[in-house]
Amino acid sequence: MPKGREAGSGAPQGRRASDRGRYGRLSRERVLATAVEVVDRDGLTGLSMRKLGAELGVEAMALYRYAPSKSDLLDGLVEAFCLELEADLAEQPEEPQVADWQRELHRIALATYRVALRHPNVVPLLATRLLSTPLARRPTAVLRSDERVLALLRDAGLSDRRTVRLHRAFTAWLLGYLLVELRAMDDEPGEPDPAFRLGLHRMPAQEFPQLRAIALALDDRGGPGQLAAGLDALLGS
């Protein structure tokens, strides 16, 4: 057996992939930021360790020090989303003299909406990673997002029961709104005729009369105005 190699392995034993790429030595922050850039450009299906390594100028194996698995990398995308949300909230702090828990929930929701518009391909992970990653194993930045809302409601003097109910309702409404707002609609993005752009000819008129009739209206985004109006209705119930 050749010295320095394991049986059945084509790589030298103990070989360590360099983590010094075109941007210098890697960090988890750099890896996640570049992963977000790849997903923004190519979608979630376009993300792989090999492609990410090529973007950073390192071998794919070097990335496993910062994201031990593809699952961890996906959680990291949610982490990066939440870190960007924290930065946005810090840039526009609530004025103490007008601080109010409902007003603050609006501020959080609108900041989340802005980040979602910048990274629409990351938004589905806000839902799917909640289903697959246990609470205690979520990144710190993700936990801080929940902690912020819970602390806001508790500090306002709300009972534990109402705090949980409002936290659950706020989270569900915000996530649902983002998913509906950013859902894929265009079948042929370059088509100038709206009906053909949406591919309405693919939906039989007799089977889907309502969808065909209202599709153009569904294609319009509700925007921050409808987000705020829905949140007002939710918090007032």
Side-chain angles (χ1 to χ4, degrees):
M1 182 187 302
K3 185 177 180 181
R5 293 181 181 268
E6 296 178 349
S9 171
Q13 189 174 14
R15 183 178 181 275
R16 180 181 175 91
S18 172
D19 66 349
R20 184 172 292 281
R22 64 171 57 98
Y23 302 108
R25 188 171 296 280
L26 296 185
S27 66
R28 181 170 171 83
E29 291 74 17
R30 167 53 59 188
V31 169
L32 295 184
T34 305
V36 170
E37 291 173 4
V38 171
V39 171
D40 285 345
R41 185 187 68 224
D42 302 329
L44 286 168
T45 57
L47 179 65
S48 68
M49 290 297 199
R50 184 185 297 274
K51 178 178 285 188
L52 184 56
E55 291 281 335
L56 290 162
V58 299
E59 297 180 40
M61 287 300 296
L63 301 177
Y64 288 98
R65 299 172 210 163
Y66 308 97
S69 67
K70 180 66 176 291
S71 179
D72 184 77
L73 183 59
L74 295 178
D75 282 336
L77 289 172
V78 180
E79 177 184 355
F81 185 101
C82 291
L83 286 171
E84 189 167 332
L85 173 59
E86 285 187 10
D88 272 29
L89 289 170
E91 288 178 1
Q92 300 178 350
E94 184 73 14
E95 298 177 23
Q97 62 270 26
V98 295
D100 168 84
W101 67 268
Q102 293 192 20
R103 185 187 182 101
E104 181 64 5
L105 285 180
H106 272 275
R107 192 174 77 92
I108 293 170
L110 291 174
T112 305
Y113 180 81
R114 290 192 297 269
V115 177
L117 289 183
R118 293 198 291 267
H119 309 294
N121 292 332
V122 177
V123 170
L125 292 176
L126 304 182
T128 58
R129 300 315 296 171
L130 284 178
L131 298 176
S132 58
T133 307
L135 177 66
R137 294 185 181 273
R138 294 171 195 164
T140 300
V142 179
L143 294 176
R144 278 199 297 264
S145 292
D146 287 313
E147 181 73 13
R148 180 186 299 108
V149 174
L150 291 171
L152 174 67
L153 298 174
R154 291 297 301 276
D155 290 347
L158 277 62
S159 66
D160 286 355
R161 174 174 292 187
R162 193 173 182 210
T163 293
V164 170
R165 181 174 68 83
L166 283 173
H167 173 264
R168 182 173 291 151
F170 175 76
T171 302
W173 163 252
L174 180 55
L175 180 56
Y177 189 86
L178 295 178
L179 291 174
V180 171
E181 186 83 335
L182 299 173
R183 62 188 164 177
M185 292 292 288
D186 289 350
D187 182 54
E188 295 288 346
E191 173 59 55
D193 185 298
F196 283 100
R197 176 172 56 81
L198 295 176
L200 299 189
H201 58 287
R202 301 183 186 280
M203 298 187 291
Q206 291 184 337
E207 191 173 355
F208 304 108
Q210 302 306 320
L211 274 175
R212 284 182 57 123
I214 206 168
L216 293 180
L218 289 175
D219 188 41
D220 289 337
R221 286 181 175 169
Q226 287 191 21
L227 172 62
L231 189 53
D232 277 334
L234 177 72
L235 298 178
S237 62

